[in-house]
Amino acid sequence: MNRNLLRLAPLCTEASRCLSLSAASAIKVTPPQLSQRFSKKSKHRRSDLLRVMATPEIEAQLEPYRAAVKEYGDKIRALKEQGAAKAEIAPLVVELKARKKRLEDKELELAPVDAGFQRDRLEDLLKRRFFYDQSFAIYGGVTGLYDFGPMGCSMKKNMLDLWRRHFVREEKMLEVECTALTPEPVLKASGHVERFADWMVKDVVKGDCHRADHLIKDFCEKQLQDAKTPEDVRTGLTDVLARLEGFDNHDMQAVIEKYNIKSPTTGNDLTEPVAFNMMFATQIGPTGDMKAFLRPETAQGIFVNFKRLLEFNQGKLPFAAAQIGSGFRNEISPRQGLIRVREFTMCEIEHFVDPEEKSYPKFSKVKDVELMLFSACNQMDGKGATKMSVGAAVEAGIIDNETLGYFMARTHLYLMRVGIDPAKLRFRQHLSNEMAHYAKDCWDAECLTSYGWIECVGHADRSCYDLLQHEAATKVKLAAEKKLTEPRLVTIVEAMANKAALGKAHKADAKKIYAALEQLTSEQVEELEKGTADGGAYALAVEGFEKPVELTDALVTVRRAEKKVHVEEVVPSVIEPSFGIGRVMYAVLEHSFRQREGDENRSFLALKPAVAPIECALLPISSNAALEPIVARVEEELMENEISYRLDNSSGSIGRRYARTDEIGVPFGITVDFESAEEPQTVTLRHAETMKQIRLKITELADLIQKLSNEKMTWAEAQEKYPAFETKEADS
């Protein structure tokens, strides 16, 4: 979840990654599969789909745009190889992104659209069947806040349970649960208080707030849709959209003034953009003296508990900690349903590893997993995502290290298990202006939805930044020890206080000075030695003192000694996969939305059994009393095996009842009919997506459903094992 004011735009390693691609030139690249469900009513990024369908005529139209992107990509590489200053490269990066945007828009214009998916129909289904809805709806609702109903709550729980099994249990992670209330000093140290912000403008009369970049984007798109907009204005607006992501407050104000942009709701003038910190502020305690925030991420709770977690892991690296919990961001103008909200569920992993050893012992198990990689190099060259194995990508230097590659592969496998369409998933590498200065490599797992490519999972090698920040703020050492292969002699340099002299000069405050001296690094001790030489003085900063304490050689001396050490101190690097579960859930719902062939009014959700809110529906064919004991026996069988089910014994036709359960994503339907009374008692099991049915004994039912839900057996394999049952699904 990147924020413009957090982007410190360092020089990074795209150039070296791009050069390393030559090592991967022999790797076979496979295009993504075609998408099956798109809508003319919704704007889509269909770039990757176009690349598989592109005719020579389309490619001829795209070639100038690709060449324009590559031109600036090559210029940036050349400057980086020459060691050019950041200020010299920055304008070229802005132009590169603008050209990249024009290429994507042209691809969008040329891409064919399938009208099979209609977002409004999916949203109607989700609201009507209460998967989720806007919070406090009877009071008019609050934007950016959502309540999950029975279906949504169950589906979300299943996704979280699967996440725990897939990551925490299988990877033997240490799970924690930390408070959402975070004192201000913690978030000051992490940088959130200073930089976690977006640009905001206000209606000068009404005071209504708008996120500046969204306001400009909406204005430009509206003007471009207006046939009366002059061609020269269209060109300017298109250029603004292309460059908008890199705009600061001055750039946005210039656009607002140039195009005379007003408040979209009142038509009033707007203030200049100001930075708005998106954390929810609060106080802890009745006096209000302790400032705090609702956490914007769960990661900081893990970092501040690193020392305890390291002790729990017997002081050994590497290890991973995980946390599932709520994050809070006071979005200026929430939009796009579950995509941009003010309260959301996060699943975050912090994998602590030796910075010099980022190999992963289980990497060989995933090295052949193929991912759609949209590398920084491809983005700079105007190319699309390419399919490549994780092992090949790490070997070629496209993915920085094995640990990062391992978690990307595991994320891919999890997203497949919950129901993300593989043709609508890619991993996009961050460009240098998207990464914080401390980051080594970052990749976002992006899912294609009707809102475009949406970041659902972030993967970052955060180096050791967070631990160092909290160590500096608290003076608590957050490091591990690594055993050396051979002991070595090191020179210990430490400041020795003359306690008698310091005690006489500073009395009760002397203890604070002793503590400050103990915290000095070797470099600082050497500075102290130089400062106090020849009768000089060294200014020591002491916590709680308004001014530094002047120390002379009469108050402190420097001692050097040689010591044989068997371990060395290591501040771990952190590899962080961060999941936005709400975003993943929405992408799954959209990717699972279907309409029956030949009956567009009959829509349903083809959810994976592992995440479906209910595993199966139980439907007696009739209300005949003779079937009741059999229904009771099936219920008992399902309950004993902890299989969720829904009994529908209403008077509607079996076809209508199937349709009701299909709509909410129930993958299997159990029908008790009159044949079920015959010995051995049997039922039919219906697969919702294909509408095919098989007949099997009641004693075999629970075991089969569990195998299907746990992906130990496919529906096709079940059809081969059990006899088919043919019936016509009547609607009346």
Side-chain angles (χ1 to χ4, degrees):
M1 318 290 179
N2 303 299
R3 301 296 175 191
N4 290 336
L5 299 186
L6 280 172
R7 294 173 184 169
L8 305 182
L11 298 182
C12 75
T13 54
E14 279 104 329
S16 61
R17 287 195 185 99
C18 293
L19 292 171
S20 71
L21 275 172
S22 59
S25 57
I27 297 170
K28 183 180 179 182
V29 174
T30 308
Q33 296 301 309
L34 300 184
S35 172
Q36 296 179 355
R37 297 176 299 282
F38 286 106
S39 172
K40 293 180 180 177
K41 298 182 180 181
S42 305
K43 185 175 180 181
H44 297 270
R45 298 268 179 221
R46 296 182 299 277
S47 305
D48 290 330
L49 301 173
L50 177 62
R51 289 184 186 99
V52 240
M53 313 182 89
T55 63
E57 292 76 19
I58 289 177
E59 280 300 322
Q61 294 182 62
L62 292 175
E63 182 54 37
Y65 293 88
R66 297 197 198 284
V69 172
K70 188 175 186 304
E71 177 191 357
Y72 265 70
D74 290 342
K75 286 182 179 181
I76 292 169
R77 288 192 194 97
L79 285 175
K80 287 184 177 181
E81 288 172 5
Q82 295 164 16
K86 169 186 163 184
E88 189 179 352
I89 296 175
L92 274 70
V93 172
V94 173
E95 178 61 26
L96 171 69
K97 296 187 80 172
R99 294 182 175 210
K100 196 168 135 241
K101 177 74 164 52
R102 293 187 195 107
L103 169 60
E104 290 177 349
D105 287 344
K106 190 64 179 177
E107 289 176 327
L108 178 64
E109 178 188 326
L110 296 173
V113 184
D114 184 342
F117 174 74
Q118 296 179 20
R119 190 201 300 154
D120 56 348
R121 295 195 62 172
L122 171 62
E123 290 177 345
D124 173 70
L125 186 160
L126 297 176
K127 184 175 182 178
R128 182 165 40 80
R129 303 307 298 267
F130 199 11
F131 274 76
Y132 58 86
D133 197 9
Q134 194 173 46
S135 299
F136 314 109
I138 64 173
Y139 283 88
V142 179
T143 56
L145 297 177
Y146 287 90
D147 294 334
F148 288 87
M151 295 297 96
C153 192
S154 179
M155 179 179 174
K156 182 180 173 184
K157 176 187 176 298
N158 291 340
M159 291 177 65
L160 294 176
D161 288 347
L162 181 57
W163 191 89
R164 272 196 174 93
R165 293 196 300 272
H166 187 82
F167 287 105
V168 180
R169 188 184 300 173
E170 290 187 32
E171 305 298 336
K172 297 179 175 61
M173 294 178 179
L174 309 179
E175 186 173 3
V176 297
E177 183 178 335
C178 304
T179 176
L181 278 172
T182 309
E184 184 182 47
V186 176
L187 294 167
K188 269 189 175 179
S190 67
H192 286 84
V193 170
E194 182 183 354
R195 296 188 296 270
F196 194 71
D198 274 333
W199 296 113
M200 178 181 74
V201 292
K202 281 187 178 182
D203 184 317
V204 296
V205 178
K206 297 288 188 180
D208 296 339
C209 299
H210 305 275
R211 184 167 151 178
D213 58 338
H214 289 175
L215 183 80
I216 292 171
K217 179 175 180 287
D218 292 344
F219 172 84
C220 293
E221 290 179 345
K222 185 176 180 180
Q223 293 299 309
L224 289 170
Q225 291 170 5
D226 188 346
K228 297 178 182 178
T229 303
E231 194 58 38
D232 59 330
V233 176
R234 287 178 175 277
T235 302
L237 294 172
T238 302
D239 190 61
V240 167
L241 286 174
R243 299 172 185 273
L244 184 58
E245 190 176 343
F247 278 6
D248 61 15
N249 57 323
H250 302 297
D251 299 324
M252 293 184 190
Q253 179 61 20
V255 172
I256 290 170
E257 290 177 355
K258 178 178 180 180
Y259 294 101
N260 195 27
I261 300 176
K262 306 291 185 181
S263 167
T265 53
T266 66
N268 294 325
D269 289 336
L270 300 164
T271 64
E272 292 189 4
V274 295
F276 172 74
N277 191 292
M278 293 181 298
M279 292 191 295
F280 285 96
T282 185
Q283 299 88 33
I284 298 175
T287 64
D289 292 338
M290 184 180 287
K291 292 183 179 179
F293 298 92
L294 293 178
R295 63 187 179 192
E297 62 180 16
T298 65
Q300 300 306 320
I302 296 176
F303 295 138
V304 299
N305 281 295
F306 168 76
K307 189 174 180 180
R308 299 294 306 277
L309 291 166
L310 180 66
E311 291 170 356
F312 186 86
N313 203 51
Q314 301 177 330
K316 297 176 182 176
L317 289 178
F319 72 89
Q323 182 169 194
I324 298 173
S326 293
F328 304 85
R329 296 181 183 180
N330 195 10
E331 295 282 354
I332 298 167
S333 51
R335 52 173 66 190
Q336 301 176 338
L338 294 183
I339 304 302
R340 192 172 295 281
V341 293
R342 289 179 166 135
E343 180 181 355
F344 47 91
T345 300
M346 305 181 75
C347 297
E348 292 195 299
I349 297 165
E350 309 300 331
H351 183 89
F352 298 97
V353 62
D354 183 343
E356 303 299 322
E357 182 52 64
K358 293 182 181 178
S359 60
Y360 200 86
K362 293 166 64 177
F363 184 72
S364 60
K365 293 186 176 182
V366 301
K367 67 181 178 64
D368 295 325
V369 173
E370 291 189 322
L371 308 178
M372 288 300 301
L373 298 178
F374 195 21
S375 67
C377 181
N378 278 19
Q379 293 173 65
M380 292 171 71
D381 284 344
K383 297 178 181 177
T386 54
K387 185 174 281 190
M388 184 181 295
S389 72
V390 176
V394 171
E395 186 178 351
I398 299 167
I399 298 174
D400 187 74
N401 57 76
E402 282 189 6
T403 300
L404 183 60
Y406 179 82
F407 281 108
M408 289 170 62
R410 291 288 291 162
T411 294
H412 172 87
L413 295 173
Y414 171 77
L415 294 176
M416 295 300 98
R417 290 181 71 180
V418 297
I420 293 296
D421 184 344
K424 298 180 183 180
L425 173 65
R426 72 181 185 188
F427 289 79
R428 187 186 69 82
Q429 189 174 33
H430 286 203
L431 298 174
S432 62
N433 69 319
E434 296 178 272
M435 289 200 294
H437 66 288
Y438 53 79
K440 290 274 292 175
D441 194 11
C442 299
W443 293 79
D444 289 339
E446 297 182 331
C447 297
L448 183 62
T449 72
S450 58
Y451 293 110
W453 285 104
I454 300 299
E455 173 200 346
C456 291
V457 189
H459 303 81
D461 183 337
R462 299 172 65 116
S463 67
C464 53
Y465 173 80
D466 299 278
L467 294 179
L468 289 176
Q469 289 295 103
H470 291 301
E471 183 177 291
T474 63
K475 311 304 180 190
V476 175
K477 197 169 290 295
L478 300 177
E481 288 185 343
K482 180 169 72 171
K483 191 173 182 179
L484 298 171
T485 52
E486 294 182 5
R488 65 168 180 250
L489 287 175
V490 296
T491 301
I492 304 297
V493 183
E494 56 185 343
M496 304 296 294
N498 184 337
K499 293 189 176 182
L502 275 171
K504 184 177 180 180
H506 295 279
K507 298 183 172 55
D509 289 332
K511 290 183 178 180
K512 294 181 179 178
I513 299 174
Y514 303 156
L517 287 171
E518 290 175 359
Q519 295 293 330
L520 293 179
T521 63
S522 299
E523 293 78 10
Q524 290 171 323
V525 173
E526 289 180 356
E527 289 176 12
L528 181 150
E529 185 178 35
K530 291 177 184 176
T532 56
D534 301 324
Y538 176 80
L540 176 69
V542 181
E543 188 175 354
F545 284 40
E546 291 184 4
K547 296 180 180 179
V549 177
E550 296 287 329
L551 297 178
T552 64
D553 58 3
L555 299 174
V556 64
T557 57
V558 174
R559 183 174 72 91
R560 283 181 169 78
E562 283 198 338
K563 181 180 178 182
K564 182 181 285 189
V565 296
H566 298 267
V567 295
E568 69 175 343
E569 204 170 77
V570 173
V571 180
S573 285
V574 177
I575 310 295
E576 179 193 71
S578 177
F579 291 70
I581 289 298
R583 291 185 171 201
V584 175
M585 180 177 177
Y586 178 77
V588 169
L589 288 167
E590 196 168 292
H591 293 185
S592 303
F593 186 68
R594 305 281 196 277
Q595 289 174 307
R596 290 294 181 201
E597 189 175 345
D599 186 357
E600 293 185 358
N601 293 321
R602 190 171 170 183
S603 54
F604 68 103
L605 294 170
L607 295 172
K608 293 265 190 168
V611 300
I614 300 170
E615 286 178 89
C616 57
L618 177 55
L619 307 102
I621 196 76
S622 162
S623 57
N624 192 304
L627 299 181
E628 290 178 5
I630 305 171
V631 172
R633 182 185 173 190
V634 174
E635 285 192 273
E636 185 177 345
E637 189 81 14
L638 296 174
M639 284 188 289
E640 283 182 0
N641 289 276
E642 298 183 349
I643 296 171
S644 61
Y645 71 96
R646 179 175 182 173
L647 175 63
D648 186 352
N649 54 8
S650 60
S651 58
S653 71
I654 193 68
R656 287 188 182 277
R657 285 186 283 160
Y658 282 150
R660 281 199 296 266
T661 58
D662 291 352
E663 190 177 44
I664 57 175
V666 180
F668 305 112
I670 303 165
T671 306
V672 176
D673 56 17
F674 291 106
E675 193 175 334
S676 301
E678 300 173 7
E679 290 294 338
Q681 291 184 335
T682 60
V683 292
T684 69
L685 185 67
R686 174 182 177 273
H687 184 231
E689 188 169 5
T690 63
M691 298 195 296
K692 299 294 184 182
Q693 296 189 54
I694 56 177
R695 182 170 285 279
L696 70 165
K697 298 176 184 177
I698 293 176
T699 53
E700 300 174 304
L701 182 63
D703 180 63
L704 176 59
I705 292 174
Q706 287 178 332
K707 286 180 178 177
L708 291 169
S709 296
N710 296 330
E711 299 179 336
K712 303 295 184 185
M713 179 183 287
T714 65
W715 178 251
E717 290 170 339
Q719 285 181 291
E720 290 178 5
K721 183 174 180 180
Y722 298 99
F725 177 77
E726 299 292 341
T727 184
K728 183 178 180 180
E729 295 188 11
D731 287 335
S732 58

